[in-house]
Amino acid sequence: MFINSSRPCQFLIGLFALITVVRWQAVYYSHDTPKFFLLEIGLSLFVLYQLKARNWQLTLPACLFISASAYACVTLLWAPNMFAGVSFIIWLALTGLTLMALLQQFSARQITHLLLNASAVSAGAFCLTYFIDRLAGLPQLVGNFTPIGFINNAGHVMVIWLPCLILAICRTASWIRRMLLVMILFSLVYILMVCAIRSTIIALLISEMLVLALLLCKDRKQALMFMSVSALLLSGAALFTYSDTLQGGRLSAKFNSLQSSFSMSYQPRLNILANSKDMLLEHPLGVGANNFEFVHPRYAKTGTELASPMVNHQSLLKTPHNIFAKLYTELGWPGGTLFALVLLYYLWQAWLGAWIGGLTERWLCVAYSALLINAQFSAVFLTPVSLAFSVLLIAAIHSRSAHPVLWTAQLNKNLFRVAKVSILTCFLTTSGAFFASEVYSKKGLLTLDAAHLTRSVRLNPGNERAWLMLSISHAVHQNEHKRLAAIKQFRALNPENIHGRYAEAQAYHNIGRHTEALKKVQALLALHPHDKRTLALSHQIKSTLGVSGQSTSKSSRYSHKSPNIRNIPPQRPVL
């Protein structure tokens, strides 16, 4: 399989296998940050050598994608954190250029072969690394549950790997390779059960059942083959749930909660969607590309039954766990609709291929349908491994479909070469600066060294976490004025963060500007009236000012418990 591929394909196969397992503790997000950086370098090199000036065709999906990407660039004009948006634009550009290079240089058969080989090699590397980690006794936490990182992130790519592995088994003539693929397949199912990712299991089952229903009308002889994923998952879930129940494990608990109340099980996600709808209605043009986490706390309704999860002093909600909610809240009605049309266009092409095509088209349809279903419950497309394999899957579907060509051009080779090198150099320079900023930020986080944190924000002025840690470093060293300056920079990038607003009010209070501190606290309580730390700070500021106003019963309840805030360093929020 791997040795039969061309060198460019071997490069991509090796790159995707590497980003599947790589991690580096020198950065805060030890999995996603190095994976994204390596992916950006690898895709830039692939585009540099494979994208040519000839055969440029503007198809309908390309036109939609370019329009959506252009609008995403426009949203940077009003985004709170423009630098976070720039990272998103780089991912979009590299995704589009990689798709164009693949479709320009390789046939449909070669792209499908690449997808299957990359899935097999990366899944094999993933399983091997996972079992080695377990044998080595490495701590298994939610954030590093598998080599891909956060526990749910493995499910984002398993919806592609599992159908591709079954298709590879069907297409492989060598029994040795077939046995190896079967071993990888069973290992993946086992790890999926250990991770207990319900959304992935549900997405695969629904997708396969839909294709099965299609085949019962079209080709009943082939229909039974499309029960293989269901048979694997259901038997694996039944056996694993039984043994897991004896151990009081994750999978049985998750299925029990799902059976007891489906709505209650997913109520936090439904709250996010409802609150994201409020965001969209107030910002019809979007809050800015990749800026969801910086604005959503304003609409999170903390302390109520409708509260979005993970919005407090110690954590943050980075995505709405729904790809359409993310696109619409960040890019508004124009950009969200354009990207939604791109995703739905390929869903239509996948189902059209499943109806008129053969075995390959039908398993690609299973994979893409499961990918989109899973994207309604999780951060699919937003993690590096998921993004990489989504590009290959979309390229495989595109290459096997007919598309209306709106424009064809032959570009000047010299101008094209200069433009390509210039753009890719800008991408890599920016990505390198952002990555170095993350390295210095992690050093500063561990040591509270202001020098490291200052270097971090110089390399990436949009590194809001580094600004927050810099404010804490100044507070520890009793420099309240520098602390206030740093927290203001943090708030400029992340204006609705609860802890940031609280820390700003606290800093004003500590330097004696109590009236301004009270205004900041009251503005925060207007949005989050049940926040205990803010209520305690409000009571202390009022006591300092000698305000005899009628404080709420909650503030008086917590006032006698709150220590003297000026005599203790602020807590480090988990961001």
Side-chain angles (χ1 to χ4, degrees):
M1 294 169 62
F2 180 74
I3 57 175
N4 292 334
S5 302
S6 63
R7 286 188 178 181
C9 291
Q10 289 181 5
F11 173 79
L12 288 181
I13 292 170
L15 172 66
F16 290 1
L18 178 62
I19 66 169
T20 300
V21 299
V22 72
R23 56 197 161 193
W24 196 31
Q25 299 297 328
V27 291
Y28 186 80
Y29 294 109
S30 58
H31 289 78
D32 280 2
T33 300
K35 291 178 192 294
F36 264 128
F37 185 53
L38 287 176
L39 183 63
E40 288 164 358
I41 293 175
L43 293 185
S44 296
L45 292 174
F46 179 78
V47 170
L48 179 64
Y49 287 102
Q50 294 301 313
L51 187 61
K52 307 299 181 183
R54 57 181 174 81
N55 298 331
W56 277 71
Q57 295 182 340
L58 185 65
T59 60
L60 177 60
C63 183
L64 292 172
F65 183 85
I66 292 172
S67 301
S69 300
Y71 183 78
C73 294
V74 173
T75 64
L76 299 183
L77 296 175
W78 58 80
N81 192 335
M82 181 190 69
F83 299 92
V86 168
S87 294
F88 185 77
I89 299 302
I90 291 175
W91 303 339
L92 280 181
L94 286 176
T95 297
L97 293 174
T98 302
L99 272 171
M100 191 170 295
L102 286 168
L103 297 171
Q104 188 182 76
Q105 298 296 324
F106 303 105
S107 65
R109 180 179 175 277
Q110 289 173 314
I111 294 174
T112 304
H113 187 71
L114 171 61
L115 172 63
L116 300 185
N117 283 350
S119 297
V121 173
S122 296
F126 168 82
C127 294
L128 182 62
T129 306
Y130 176 85
F131 290 124
I132 291 174
D133 288 347
R134 300 289 73 78
L135 291 174
L138 295 180
Q140 196 172 25
L141 306 175
V142 173
N144 65 342
F145 204 85
T146 71
I148 292 179
F150 184 71
I151 188 168
N152 285 348
N153 290 2
H156 301 169
V157 70
M158 284 188 186
V159 292
I160 299 176
W161 282 351
L162 288 172
C164 287
L165 284 172
I166 294 175
L167 178 58
I169 291 170
C170 297
R171 289 170 53 130
T172 300
S174 170
W175 68 270
I176 297 177
R177 292 177 181 175
R178 186 169 294 177
M179 290 300 298
L180 181 60
L181 291 172
V182 168
M183 289 175 59
I184 296 173
L185 180 65
F186 284 137
S187 298
L188 277 182
V189 172
Y190 169 78
I191 297 172
L192 178 59
M193 297 303 141
V194 173
C195 294
I197 310 173
R198 293 172 301 183
S199 59
T200 299
I201 297 172
I202 293 171
L204 283 167
L205 291 176
I206 293 176
S207 177
E208 192 181 46
M209 289 299 101
L210 291 174
V211 175
L212 176 63
L214 174 72
L215 290 180
L216 288 176
C217 302
K218 178 73 173 177
D219 188 355
R220 294 191 177 185
K221 293 182 179 179
Q222 203 179 86
L224 289 177
M225 184 180 296
F226 284 84
M227 296 185 65
S228 52
V229 170
S230 301
L232 275 172
L233 293 180
L234 292 176
S235 59
L239 292 173
F240 199 88
T241 302
Y242 174 74
S243 62
D244 195 47
T245 303
L246 301 180
Q247 306 170 28
R250 288 176 48 85
L251 185 65
S252 55
K254 284 202 170 187
F255 276 119
N256 288 337
S257 67
L258 189 63
Q259 292 171 1
S260 61
S261 175
F262 182 86
S263 62
M264 289 299 295
S265 179
Y266 279 97
Q267 190 59 48
R269 301 290 175 89
L270 296 176
N271 289 347
I272 297 173
L273 293 180
N275 296 335
S276 297
K277 178 185 175 182
D278 295 338
M279 281 182 65
L280 176 60
L281 293 177
E282 192 163 323
H283 301 275
L285 298 181
V287 298
N290 210 24
N291 273 249
F292 173 87
E293 65 181 280
F294 307 126
V295 181
H296 186 76
R298 183 178 184 86
Y299 306 88
K301 300 181 179 67
T302 58
T304 69
E305 294 181 354
L306 302 177
S308 298
M310 303 294 291
V311 180
N312 51 56
H313 287 270
Q314 300 297 324
S315 57
L316 56 83
L317 180 67
K318 294 187 70 67
T319 77
H321 298 284
N322 179 291
I323 188 61
F324 293 114
K326 178 177 175 65
L327 292 173
Y328 273 100
T329 53
E330 294 183 352
L331 305 180
W333 293 107
T337 302
L338 288 170
F339 272 119
L341 288 175
V342 173
L343 296 175
L344 294 177
Y345 176 86
Y346 283 113
L347 180 64
W348 163 253
Q349 291 296 332
W351 279 93
L352 184 62
W355 178 257
I356 64 177
L359 184 66
T360 299
E361 287 79 8
R362 288 162 185 169
W363 278 114
L364 292 178
C365 181
V366 171
Y368 189 74
S369 299
L371 185 71
L372 276 193
I373 294 171
N374 197 22
Q376 310 314 305
F377 306 99
S378 194
V380 175
F381 300 110
L382 305 178
T383 54
V385 185
S386 171
L387 178 63
F389 280 92
S390 297
V391 170
L392 288 186
L393 178 60
I394 291 174
I397 294 172
H398 185 104
S399 64
R400 292 177 172 272
S401 311
H403 311 277
V405 178
L406 306 179
W407 179 68
T408 304
Q410 186 79 18
L411 304 181
N412 182 278
K413 292 184 179 180
N414 293 329
L415 290 177
F416 176 78
R417 189 179 296 112
V418 172
K420 180 172 64 172
V421 172
S422 301
I423 292 172
L424 293 177
T425 300
C426 289
F427 287 170
L428 291 179
T429 302
T430 304
S431 297
F434 287 179
F435 184 77
S437 174
E438 290 294 328
V439 174
Y440 281 115
S441 177
K442 179 63 179 292
K443 290 180 180 179
L445 174 67
L446 296 175
T447 63
L448 286 182
D449 185 350
H452 287 314
L453 294 167
T454 301
R455 292 191 190 98
S456 176
V457 296
R458 284 177 180 171
L459 287 166
N460 178 13
N463 191 335
E464 79 286 348
R465 191 186 319 107
W467 281 114
L468 181 60
M469 296 312 303
L470 183 59
S471 73
I472 294 175
S473 174
H474 290 317
V476 170
H477 293 93
Q478 305 297 316
N479 194 328
E480 290 293 337
H481 289 280
K482 286 188 175 180
R483 177 198 180 189
L484 181 58
I487 202 66
K488 283 184 175 180
Q489 291 288 344
F490 170 80
R491 283 218 56 215
L493 299 166
N494 198 343
E496 301 299 338
N497 182 269
I498 295 177
H499 185 80
R501 300 185 70 167
Y502 169 86
E504 184 182 31
Q506 187 185 61
Y508 274 116
H509 178 51
N510 288 352
I511 64 175
R513 296 165 65 174
H514 308 300
T515 303
E516 292 170 270
L518 184 60
K519 291 180 180 179
K520 298 290 183 183
V521 165
Q522 289 173 339
L524 180 56
L525 287 175
L527 293 173
H528 309 285
H530 305 285
D531 187 69
K532 298 179 181 180
R533 293 180 66 184
T534 308
L535 287 166
L537 179 59
S538 175
H539 180 79
Q540 186 175 17
I541 295 171
K542 289 179 180 180
S543 298
T544 303
L545 288 171
V547 176
S548 59
Q550 300 298 318
S551 60
T552 64
S553 59
K554 288 191 176 182
S555 64
S556 61
R557 185 194 313 170
Y558 295 111
S559 61
H560 70 280
K561 298 181 182 180
S562 60
N564 188 339
I565 298 178
R566 301 178 75 174
N567 295 330
I568 60 173
Q571 298 179 10
R572 298 189 193 183
V574 180
L575 295 178

